[in-house]
Amino acid sequence: MTDQLDELSRRPYLVRAMTDWMCDYAQTPHLVVNALAPGVEVPRDHVSNGRIILNIGPTATQGLLMDNEQITFNARFNGVEHSIIVPMAAVVGIYARESGQGMVFVPDDGEPPPDGNDDKRSDNEQKADPEKPQGGRSHLKIVK
């Protein structure tokens, strides 16, 4: 049984739980995604330094589905609707826009977590956060 548990990723469960928690407390969940990972389908012109930040709040998405393998939804970028596909392995972190609370996941391939400096957001979030610290280290913690 232990070997089977070692094979299962906690990431999809934690992403779903964090999303539910944020929405229950009127926070806006944002995913930090490695846009260069295999299987990621996002508008490439919104990718910065290989990352994209996606607002997955209920008002920003249509048809949001999160299973153990991937996250899929439709969202508008510059007024154009796109189908988004994010494999769970490509999710680098999740945080609430309003409070900055969230978590960063340890990458499976040894890639370092984001440093918080690549803050180019997708168009499904219209403006930058005035409360988010500019530059420096990320306020998110690595959860093992």
Side-chain angles (χ1 to χ4, degrees):
M1 185 70 161
T2 302
D3 291 337
Q4 186 179 15
L5 285 177
D6 290 340
E7 295 292 320
L8 295 175
S9 174
R10 291 171 279 203
R11 189 174 308 194
Y13 299 95
L14 293 170
V15 168
R16 288 191 297 264
M18 291 296 289
T19 300
D20 288 346
W21 175 72
M22 290 173 195
C23 290
D24 285 351
Y25 287 92
Q27 303 277 304
T28 308
H30 283 68
L31 286 180
V32 180
V33 175
N34 176 356
L36 305 178
V40 173
E41 293 183 24
V42 295
R44 295 294 169 192
D45 54 335
H46 294 279
V47 173
S48 176
N49 296 324
R51 303 274 194 255
I52 187 168
I53 297 175
L54 299 169
N55 177 344
I56 60 167
T59 61
T61 63
Q62 292 180 337
L64 177 66
L65 294 173
M66 292 189 276
D67 63 28
N68 290 347
E69 303 299 319
Q70 65 185 8
I71 300 168
T72 61
F73 60 93
N74 293 321
R76 293 192 174 276
F77 296 80
N78 291 336
V80 178
E81 188 166 319
H82 292 269
S83 293
I84 306 300
I85 300 175
V86 177
M88 278 295 176
V91 176
V92 176
I94 183 168
Y95 69 95
R97 179 183 67 203
E98 294 81 0
S99 67
Q101 293 183 330
M103 61 179 52
V104 174
F105 299 104
V106 176
D108 299 331
D109 60 1
E111 177 188 349
D115 64 5
N117 289 328
D118 35 328
D119 192 22
K120 183 172 184 180
R121 297 168 187 247
S122 62
D123 189 51
N124 67 344
E125 179 191 354
Q126 292 297 319
K127 54 186 175 182
D129 296 334
E131 299 174 2
K132 186 174 188 314
Q134 299 299 314
R137 294 181 51 93
S138 174
H139 59 280
L140 302 177
K141 294 181 182 178
I142 295 176
V143 176
K144 293 185 180 182

